[in-house]
Amino acid sequence: MPDAEDVRRIALSLPDTTEKIAWSMPTFRVAGKMFATLPEAETSIAVRCPKEERDELVLAEPEKFWVAGHEAGFAWVRARLAALEDDDELHAILADSWRQAAPPRLVDAHPELGLPSAD
């Protein structure tokens, strides 16, 4: 089960990522744009997720994903760290959020972080 240190390690391994404390919690940013936070005593993560996709995600895996009330109007979703399978799943979630926040030139420069393959 991934924990807050795994979040930090994986997030900071993504290109041009920095950590900054905001709202009394760790946040992770690419080129200055936030793509992940560690709220709730660092037992969950909040990541970018298009609104049209997040409702399906929450319905499909409510034990893993939810939308915090104050984030309902924004394109963010929460994931419980204890519900994630492993570091690979955490990496996929963080990389997807990173791609949504990163400038196109940075995404283009890192094709290894490209869109997940459709299996």
Side-chain angles (χ1 to χ4, degrees):
M1 163 184 82
D3 62 17
E5 286 308 309
D6 296 317
V7 171
R8 187 169 279 109
R9 175 179 50 80
I10 292 169
L12 291 173
S13 76
L14 298 170
D16 203 24
T17 295
T18 58
E19 181 176 351
K20 179 180 179 182
I21 299 297
W23 307 288
S24 301
M25 72 179 111
T27 67
F28 300 92
R29 299 161 189 258
V30 56
K33 289 182 70 176
M34 192 166 41
F35 71 91
T37 69
L38 265 168
E40 269 80 53
E42 299 186 350
T43 60
S44 69
I45 57 173
V47 293
R48 290 176 177 255
C49 183
K51 289 181 189 179
E52 56 276 3
E53 293 176 21
R54 76 173 183 195
D55 293 339
E56 291 178 30
L57 192 62
V58 170
L59 284 172
E61 298 184 87
E63 71 288 348
K64 191 178 291 187
F65 299 104
W66 86 100
V67 177
H70 68 280
E71 294 169 345
F74 302 96
W76 287 80
V77 69
R78 301 277 181 107
R80 292 172 182 85
L81 293 176
L84 300 181
E85 293 177 28
D86 54 26
D87 281 2
D88 289 340
E89 184 177 24
L90 176 60
H91 186 278
I93 290 168
L94 288 169
D96 183 57
S97 187
W98 178 91
R99 283 190 303 273
Q100 292 175 61
R105 66 166 173 75
L106 199 52
V107 174
D108 291 345
H110 296 280
E112 74 279 9
L113 296 173
L115 296 175
S117 60
D119 294 12

